Amino acid sequence: MNVDYFMQQAIIEAKKAFHLKEFPVGGVLVDNISNKIVARSHNTVNKDNNATKHCELNLINDTCDKFKIKYLDNMTLFVTLEPCTMCASAISEVHVKNIYFGAYDEKNGGIEKLRIAFQRKNIFIPNVYGGIMEQECSNLLKNFFINKND
């Protein structure tokens, strides 16, 4: 699996969010068997006027609807920011096998903090890889806040 390629695709989605004045988080969901992108999205919180419309939840909902499945155990998620606790729980619930994220989120990040919770029995534990293209992902977020204050 070409991690850099798929993370670059997630960054393209984050840039779309940036230009739409959404918090710039983007991602893609990749089928592990075909190595093809099955869904792409970014945050749509402002557009949809719904605080739960995070990139990860959009990807999960779109993919489950598209394929009429409830588990995504043959999928890998690439996202530009460490998922929050809400998204981390959803990712676990649908059994996404692997997560690659760009920037760490010290304030709201949930994947790293939930590693302890993931150690409980009966909870699906994804493989998690952080810091992929971290600088580029972080710069998008920093530029968003700089532009927001202008």
Side-chain angles (χ1 to χ4, degrees):
M1 185 168 285
N2 188 334
V3 172
D4 290 343
Y5 171 77
F6 291 122
M7 186 55 76
Q8 192 62 45
Q9 294 302 303
I11 290 168
I12 289 169
E13 289 299 317
K15 288 178 179 177
K16 288 179 186 176
F18 182 90
H19 293 295
L20 294 170
K21 299 189 181 348
E22 294 278 357
F23 189 66
V25 175
V28 295
L29 205 52
V30 177
D31 180 286
N32 293 339
I33 297 166
S34 69
N35 277 335
K36 294 198 184 308
I37 295 172
V38 297
R40 51 177 66 239
S41 191
H42 52 269
N43 280 6
T44 58
V45 170
N46 296 329
K47 174 184 161 259
D48 295 333
N49 201 30
N50 182 334
T52 67
K53 297 297 277 187
H54 290 196
C55 170
E56 299 92 332
L57 293 183
N58 292 340
L59 288 168
I60 289 168
N61 290 329
D62 291 350
T63 304
C64 288
D65 289 347
K66 179 179 180 179
F67 293 106
K68 308 280 188 256
I69 55 176
K70 63 181 178 179
Y71 295 114
L72 306 177
D73 43 8
N74 283 320
M75 305 281 176
T76 295
L77 171 67
F78 292 85
V79 65
T80 57
L81 182 65
E82 177 186 356
C84 69
T85 53
M86 173 182 68
C87 292
S89 293
I91 289 163
S92 175
E93 284 294 323
V94 297
H95 298 190
V96 171
K97 185 170 185 153
N98 305 300
I99 304 166
Y100 291 86
F101 69 85
Y104 287 86
D105 186 350
E106 299 299 322
K107 183 178 174 189
N108 295 311
I111 289 290
E112 293 298 324
K113 292 176 186 137
L114 282 181
R115 282 188 192 261
I116 295 166
F118 283 155
Q119 292 175 11
R120 294 189 332 233
K121 290 182 179 178
N122 302 322
I123 292 181
F124 179 81
I125 305 167
N127 300 311
V128 179
Y129 310 94
I132 312 300
M133 296 184 166
E134 182 176 10
Q135 193 62 51
E136 189 172 352
C137 295
S138 293
N139 287 343
L140 258 175
L141 297 165
K142 289 174 189 169
N143 289 335
F144 175 78
F145 287 109
I146 290 169
N147 289 332
K148 191 172 183 159
N149 294 328
D150 286 345

